Amino acid sequence: MRARSNRALTTLEFASNGKSPFALRAYPMTSWSNVKGIVCDVNGTMFSLQPLGERMQQVGLQKSDLQLWFTSVLRDGLATGASGSFAPFKDIGVYHLHQMLRKAGISGDHNQAVQMIMSGFDDATCMADVAPAFKQMHAKGIKISTMTNGSISITKGLLEKACVEQYVDKMMDITQPKAWKPSPAVYHFAVKQLNLSPEQVMLVAIHPWDCAGAKEAGLKAAYINRDDTPYPGFFAQPDAEFTSFEHLADALCR
């Protein structure tokens, strides 16, 4: 079995001799069957950042620079919190793009190049599994919210293009609690906005560090594992692991 825990698993687990209709891994449903709301990560979880990588290539950088850029933005965002300050995603992202262009020796108007890359967020679209999952969970009465290290405006554009904005109760970003995920303050802020208790809320993310942050803050967590990346053993473990939003919705709406 793929389980990385010695705790008893439910029939939702993915076994070597067959595929579950729901999950790769799930702990006993008693630990998360009382979920009344979800908080969805956005960047990388609900949409791919690849449009930014394509624009990086157009201005002379490499598409592979996308991961370095995103990791650098997250690192410095967390560093602002650790040092007792705060800076939004855009400010840090723009700074690192300027540095990448400079170090790559790319000539021309760097301001224009940075603006072109950042406008790649406008081209982003929701993953195909998001819309049907949101519709299913909304019909079941589950409160749906989003919390991003990015901006509400980007989230709003994504949801509008996917025609699922009407299913979302709250759209949030880190400029409201003035802290970056995985700071506990972010998850506590999100839970308060939903008027639920932490144990009634499940964080949904493709990032293990986000799931771990939610768990440490008292929430449930579902790891969306789209590419079979093992969840790190050094983080607080999620309550469930799914290959898609649709499988998450199927499990929560049983």
Side-chain angles (χ1 to χ4, degrees):
M1 288 186 174
R2 296 188 68 246
R4 290 175 290 279
S5 169
N6 57 10
R7 284 182 280 183
L9 301 181
T10 71
T11 55
L12 297 182
E13 182 188 10
F14 179 94
S16 60
N17 61 350
K19 294 183 177 180
S20 157
F22 299 129
L24 289 174
R25 176 177 59 141
Y27 299 141
M29 286 189 65
T30 53
S31 71
W32 53 281
S33 58
N34 67 332
V35 172
K36 305 300 181 184
I38 63 170
V39 178
C40 294
D41 173 58
V42 180
N43 294 340
T45 298
M46 290 177 57
F47 76 97
S48 170
L49 293 169
Q50 286 308 310
L52 277 75
E54 293 167 1
R55 287 171 180 252
M56 285 181 172
Q57 191 174 38
Q58 291 173 21
V59 301
L61 294 171
Q62 302 296 315
K63 288 180 70 173
S64 58
D65 288 332
L66 174 62
Q67 186 58 47
L68 173 62
W69 173 75
F70 188 62
T71 301
S72 298
V73 173
L74 289 177
R75 179 200 65 205
D76 286 359
L78 292 173
T80 62
S83 62
S85 61
F86 175 79
F89 185 98
K90 183 177 180 180
D91 290 0
I92 300 174
V94 166
Y95 168 81
H96 279 290
L97 286 176
H98 274 287
Q99 299 314 305
M100 293 175 78
L101 291 166
R102 179 182 62 81
K103 292 177 181 179
I106 296 173
S107 59
D109 187 338
H110 285 188
N111 288 327
Q112 184 176 9
V114 168
Q115 184 177 5
M116 177 183 177
I117 295 170
M118 292 296 286
S119 65
F121 281 110
D122 297 331
D123 293 339
T125 57
C126 278
M127 303 275 193
D129 59 343
V130 173
F134 275 22
K135 184 177 181 179
Q136 182 180 356
M137 289 186 286
H138 176 77
K140 188 69 174 181
I142 296 172
K143 290 185 176 182
I144 301 172
S145 67
T146 59
M147 171 58 82
T148 178
N149 276 339
S151 71
I152 289 176
S153 62
I154 292 173
T155 302
K156 184 175 176 63
L158 285 169
L159 297 177
E160 287 177 344
K161 282 185 282 187
C163 298
V164 294
E165 186 181 9
Q166 68 270 28
Y167 304 132
V168 178
D169 295 271
K170 293 286 183 180
M171 285 181 279
M172 299 169 280
D173 67 31
I174 58 171
T175 63
Q176 295 167 296
K178 293 291 189 296
W180 281 67
K181 293 189 292 179
S183 166
V186 180
Y187 306 107
H188 293 159
F189 176 86
V191 167
K192 185 176 181 180
Q193 298 307 301
L194 291 176
N195 292 315
L196 295 171
S197 59
E199 61 271 15
Q200 292 178 308
V201 179
M202 176 173 273
L203 183 281
V204 182
I206 198 173
H207 313 292
W209 53 263
D210 203 354
C211 293
K215 289 295 293 181
E216 297 291 359
L219 286 70
K220 302 292 190 294
Y223 175 43
I224 303 298
N225 189 355
R226 298 184 186 277
D227 58 2
D228 200 29
T229 300
Y231 191 94
F234 49 79
F235 277 146
Q237 297 297 293
D239 295 277
E241 180 176 328
F242 300 95
T243 56
S244 72
F245 268 89
E246 287 177 299
H247 291 163
L248 165 70
D250 286 342
L252 290 179
C253 297
R254 292 182 76 194

